[in-house]
Amino acid sequence: MAFDLVLFGGTGDLVWRKLMPALFQAYRHGTLPPGGRIIGVARDGLDDAAFRSLIETRLAQVELAKRPSADEFAGFAQLLHYLRVDLSKPADYLALADVLNAREVDARVLYLATAPSLFTTVCQQLVACGLNQAHTPNDTRIVLEKPLGHDLASNRAINEVVRAGFAEKQIFRIDHYLGKPSVQNLFAMRFGNALFEPLWRRETIANIQITIAEELGVEKRGGFYDQTGALRDMVQNHALQLLCAIGMEPPINAHADAIRDEKLKVLRSLKPWTPHTLAQHVVRGQYIAGGFNGEAMPAYRDEPGVDPNSHTETFVALRTEIANWRWAGVPFYIRTGKRLAAREAHIAVNFRPTPHAIFKSPLGAANRLVIHLQPKDGLTLHLFAQGQDKRGPASFGAGQSLAPVQLDLDFDKRFGSERVGAYERLLLDVIEGRLNLFVRSDEQEEAWRWVEPVMRHWKDSGDEGLKPYAAGTWGPSAASAMIARDGHSWSEES
Ligand code: BG6
């Protein structure tokens, strides 16, 4: 299958950090279709040889097991090409069109790994020189990285320009969380087993908690992050996609639109914000200096590129509900932040206690299913079992105490740690034209519509309500207080 994968922003951060390592892994695994060209497009004055040597340097830095041997790189390098293009110059697009039109391909992929501010210009230029069509429009795909806009209006403006030149089925909007094996596993677990379905509802589930915690700070992206914040960077996309995956109805089949229709329904059912919920059900925080394992960490406001008086949130915790028959009244809590105590993403499904207790009330949390997304990929089912004392198991009967036990399933162990990474999966899907793991424009718009009142509320209140938390902790205590008001606690606190 011949393909051309054109990477706009070909010498940029995303290509460097994520795309090239992923493409090399696909090449190594033999899943990258043969007959492809990967064409880096950027302003730098490079040629093929210089581009190849740049990528060789990059691949020599990845973790040892993923580094190419000299022979492997020599093979991979044959796919790599470079074209100098100034994205503001129409003539340069025509030169690109000449290169691309000189060869027949089965798929042409135009990957916008540029600054989001360039999306509309690049897209208009691509259309102007006919690059939105190869043989039939379906052969050409455009890939858009997040963030797609910074609010509903800007998101719509970008989508309108893109849709003027490309049909929806040609547009691949990336949310890399959907490419993670653990997130695909979540769909497999819910819709490949009949076991969960009868339990997956308000009658049995007390609350659901989605945590995406990062140990890292803003690294070298201070300037970008300061304009973005945790709500736009993580909640509007990754966290809401996880909420959809956990809360959606079973789709009628596994086709892209059937899945996306169900996710859209969840987003549409999210309870609208009110002045009360904006005040009581959202917590935003910003990290101050702290430390982790003896390592001192600076405050967010002291990070390079960040405004020393910044009001940008590096932490968000919120409570929402999916207002439909299945979920009415069940709180869904979302929590995400930078410089937290651990890198840890999981979804905790807390079941209701037994309707009538015949055993002594035990300590610790049970009746909970934890879906681990990262760093571990697995499931833990917390249950109560018969307690033990020094004389052996207590006999069944009144006064007996229960002990918490866990059933633990480790997917990395079961399937091997060599599972296909998120970007590798998504790049292969784009090349082969599979849309299941990509986000449709109406999903994105609905997610923006839902977060906008929160953004406006924060804008109006300045830094009032912005809670400090020490780097290396689990965020501001207000987040624990918020969930405690409902009589619950965050999964790591219980
Ligand atoms: C990105 C955000 O989308 O996701 C980053 O822009 C964040 O700020 C990253 O660090 C987290 O991704 P992962 O795969 O490391 O959990």
Side-chain angles (χ1 to χ4, degrees):
M1 176 191 171
F3 70 90
D4 277 341
L5 168 60
V6 187
L7 302 173
F8 295 89
T11 52
D13 184 62
L14 183 71
V15 172
W16 180 260
R17 279 190 309 117
K18 302 276 192 192
L19 303 187
M20 278 301 167
L23 285 164
F24 172 68
Q25 288 310 308
Y27 171 79
R28 172 183 268 178
H29 294 148
T31 45
L32 196 62
R37 288 192 299 185
I38 299 169
I39 306 171
V41 161
R43 234 181 351 196
D44 308 70
L46 305 179
D47 57 11
D48 284 0
F51 184 59
R52 287 170 185 173
S53 112
L54 186 77
I55 302 306
E56 189 172 15
T57 314
R58 166 60 184 138
L59 295 181
Q61 297 170 357
V62 299
E63 64 185 277
L64 199 57
K66 295 192 171 167
R67 282 183 207 162
S69 67
D71 279 357
E72 277 178 320
F73 186 75
F76 181 61
Q78 295 308 306
L79 310 181
L80 303 177
H81 302 271
Y82 183 80
L83 196 69
R84 187 176 182 179
V85 169
D86 181 335
L87 295 176
S88 63
K89 291 195 180 139
D92 284 14
Y93 290 85
L94 293 173
L96 172 64
D98 285 345
V99 171
L100 296 181
N101 293 334
R103 162 181 131 103
E104 284 213 348
V105 288
D106 300 301
R108 171 187 289 168
V109 177
L110 307 165
Y111 197 126
L112 271 52
T114 62
S117 54
L118 293 173
F119 285 177
T120 47
T121 315
V122 176
C123 200
Q124 280 160 337
Q125 292 296 336
L126 292 173
V127 175
C129 58
L131 274 175
N132 53 334
Q133 301 192 1
H135 309 299
T136 68
N138 289 341
D139 293 333
T140 300
R141 287 147 212 164
I142 187 162
V143 185
L144 302 167
E145 267 292 336
K146 76 167 258 284
L148 218 61
H150 53 271
D151 57 13
L152 179 59
S154 54
N155 173 266
R156 276 193 172 154
I158 298 172
N159 273 328
E160 259 166 42
V161 172
V162 181
R163 276 200 303 245
F166 296 85
E168 185 65 38
K169 61 185 169 196
Q170 294 176 271
I171 308 172
F172 289 67
R173 296 180 192 80
I174 288 205
D175 182 314
H176 79 278
Y177 265 59
L178 293 178
K180 288 181 188 275
S182 53
V183 177
Q184 287 162 64
N185 213 13
L186 175 57
F187 289 101
M189 186 203 77
R190 278 203 61 201
F191 305 129
N193 300 286
L195 174 71
F196 298 104
E197 169 57 23
L199 302 177
W200 225 247
R201 57 192 63 251
R202 60 195 302 279
E203 290 80 3
T204 22
I205 292 180
N207 68 86
I208 293 186
Q209 303 177 9
I210 298 172
T211 294
I212 312 176
E214 294 187 84
E215 247 173 55
L216 289 178
V218 290
E219 306 291 281
K220 294 179 183 146
R221 298 159 74 226
F224 159 78
Y225 194 87
D226 209 31
Q227 300 300 313
T228 310
L231 186 74
R232 287 186 174 95
D233 190 43
M234 298 295 289
V235 176
Q236 186 272 342
N237 35 74
H238 306 322
L240 285 184
Q241 285 292 327
L242 294 182
L243 183 134
C244 287
I246 201 85
M248 68 197 259
E249 295 299 314
I252 53 165
N253 58 38
H255 296 155
D257 276 334
I259 296 168
R260 302 189 301 179
D261 287 346
E262 295 304 336
K263 287 195 288 167
L264 180 65
K265 279 195 221 159
V266 173
L267 294 166
R268 286 195 174 144
S269 318
L270 290 176
K271 252 197 165 170
W273 295 102
T274 63
H276 171 78
T277 56
L278 284 170
Q280 297 293 315
H281 294 168
V282 198
V283 172
R284 62 180 164 142
Q286 189 189 71
Y287 63 83
I288 55 174
F292 188 77
N293 286 342
E295 189 196 333
M297 290 167 176
Y300 173 70
R301 290 180 185 183
D302 294 331
E303 300 274 16
V306 171
D307 175 355
N309 298 312
S310 173
H311 298 165
T312 301
E313 79 289 354
T314 58
F315 174 95
V316 183
L318 59 84
R319 173 204 199 278
T320 186
E321 284 176 32
I322 301 175
N324 64 14
W325 276 45
R326 185 187 288 271
W327 294 118
V330 177
F332 282 73
Y333 302 101
I334 290 177
R335 178 178 54 156
T336 183
K338 301 244 179 233
R339 284 283 189 240
L340 296 184
R343 176 173 185 256
E344 162 81 30
H346 67 250
I347 302 175
V349 179
N350 291 307
F351 292 95
R352 291 186 188 281
T354 52
H356 169 65
I358 61 166
F359 300 112
K360 266 196 221 158
S361 155
L363 293 172
N367 291 315
R368 159 186 301 203
L369 177 69
V370 181
I371 301 158
H372 301 277
L373 304 174
Q374 66 190 24
K376 175 180 165 180
D377 176 4
L379 289 182
T380 308
L381 183 60
H382 296 259
L383 298 168
F384 285 130
Q386 189 181 25
Q388 304 258 341
D389 65 18
K390 287 198 190 96
R391 289 158 291 144
S395 57
F396 176 82
Q400 181 188 347
S401 57
L402 299 177
V405 291
Q406 285 109 38
L407 265 172
D408 236 323
L409 187 55
D410 182 333
F411 292 123
D412 285 327
K413 254 196 211 144
R414 173 67 183 78
F415 298 116
S417 53
E418 274 297 291
R419 297 167 80 194
V420 177
Y423 270 98
E424 185 181 346
R425 164 84 283 132
L426 295 173
L427 281 159
L428 291 171
D429 281 0
V430 177
I431 293 168
E432 284 160 19
R434 284 188 295 264
L435 270 164
N436 297 33
L437 301 178
F438 297 84
V439 183
R440 212 166 52 191
S441 62
D442 47 7
E443 288 179 76
Q444 262 184 353
E445 287 184 11
E446 207 53 55
W448 277 118
R449 188 170 292 120
W450 186 73
V451 296
E452 269 201 343
V454 181
M455 283 160 33
R456 272 198 302 272
H457 175 65
W458 288 349
K459 196 164 169 230
D460 294 344
S461 39
D463 69 353
E464 191 194 318
L466 181 68
K467 309 282 184 202
Y469 63 97
T473 64
W474 278 104
S477 56
S480 303
M482 176 187 81
I483 195 168
R485 285 197 291 274
D486 290 344
H488 305 306
S489 56
W490 292 109
S491 48
E492 91 287 346
E493 292 171 348
S494 48

